[in-house]
Amino acid sequence: MTPLLVSACLLGLNTRYNAETKTNAQVVALIEQADIMPIIVCPEQLAGFSTPRPSCEFIQGSGEQVWRGTGQLKNSLGDDVTAAFCRGAQETLTIARMTHCRIALLKERSPSCGSRFIHCQGELCPGQGVTTVLLHQEGLRLFSEEQLDELQEYLGN
């Protein structure tokens, strides 16, 4: 079985900031049909955040800038949460390494997991989340729920 790192919220686990589930039926079907061992993660919960929690977004830069020391995330209360996001990303990477994951399916538009888009200062912007950047640096192949066809092709399904 191929280990696949998967954002917990895509499988219906109650991990999102607003405590609403985001089950993606296509993701669930892919996991059930393919020869995949899902490795379920939520970088924000691994960072120590509760569910529910204040929403978070980039105030400056994106995940790439965070790792360079010039990006910043804040929650809706105005607290700097950058270090916590880095901690959650590092924990997620540890899990990927322990389970030999080389592929990840992550939630688009998330400050942790966004692979093509993130929220920055109230706008949807091109960019990657904090965890996504770290996983990419480690050499993982990244997909979002908006790229399931590409993922299936990559898996040979």
Side-chain angles (χ1 to χ4, degrees):
M1 293 191 109
T2 303
L4 176 69
L5 205 65
V6 183
S7 290
C9 60
L10 293 175
L11 295 174
L13 278 75
N14 188 7
T15 57
R16 295 193 68 222
Y17 75 95
N18 59 5
E20 293 180 11
T21 58
K22 274 288 197 186
T23 307
N24 185 304
Q26 291 177 301
V27 171
V28 173
L30 174 67
I31 299 298
E32 291 173 350
Q33 295 168 5
D35 190 28
I36 293 172
M37 171 59 67
I39 308 300
I40 304 166
V41 295
C42 175
E44 294 171 26
Q45 285 190 338
L46 289 167
F49 292 121
S50 63
T51 299
R53 58 186 167 273
S55 63
C56 300
E57 70 173 1
F58 289 91
I59 299 305
Q60 184 176 342
S62 66
E64 188 173 333
Q65 283 75 36
V66 164
W67 290 111
R68 290 182 184 167
T70 60
Q72 184 180 35
L73 294 113
K74 287 192 176 184
N75 66 20
S76 58
L77 303 175
D79 301 320
D80 185 335
V81 292
T82 308
F85 271 80
C86 290
R87 188 171 51 252
Q90 290 166 334
E91 292 296 320
T92 302
L93 177 58
T94 297
I95 291 169
R97 286 175 174 162
M98 288 172 41
T99 58
H100 306 288
C101 279
R102 303 307 305 152
I103 313 165
L105 175 57
L106 303 173
K107 179 72 182 102
E108 192 66 84
R109 297 176 186 78
S110 158
S112 291
C113 297
S115 60
R116 296 180 297 162
F117 298 99
I118 54 170
H119 292 277
C120 185
Q121 297 183 6
E123 302 282 327
L124 186 62
C125 302
Q128 293 184 321
V130 177
T131 298
T132 303
V133 169
L134 189 61
L135 295 175
H136 178 75
Q137 289 173 352
E138 183 75 7
L140 271 74
R141 180 73 188 260
L142 305 169
F143 298 90
S144 79
E145 75 278 15
E146 297 172 1
Q147 299 171 297
L148 291 179
D149 289 342
E150 294 170 46
L151 173 58
Q152 287 180 307
E153 185 177 313
Y154 181 79
L155 293 170
N157 295 335

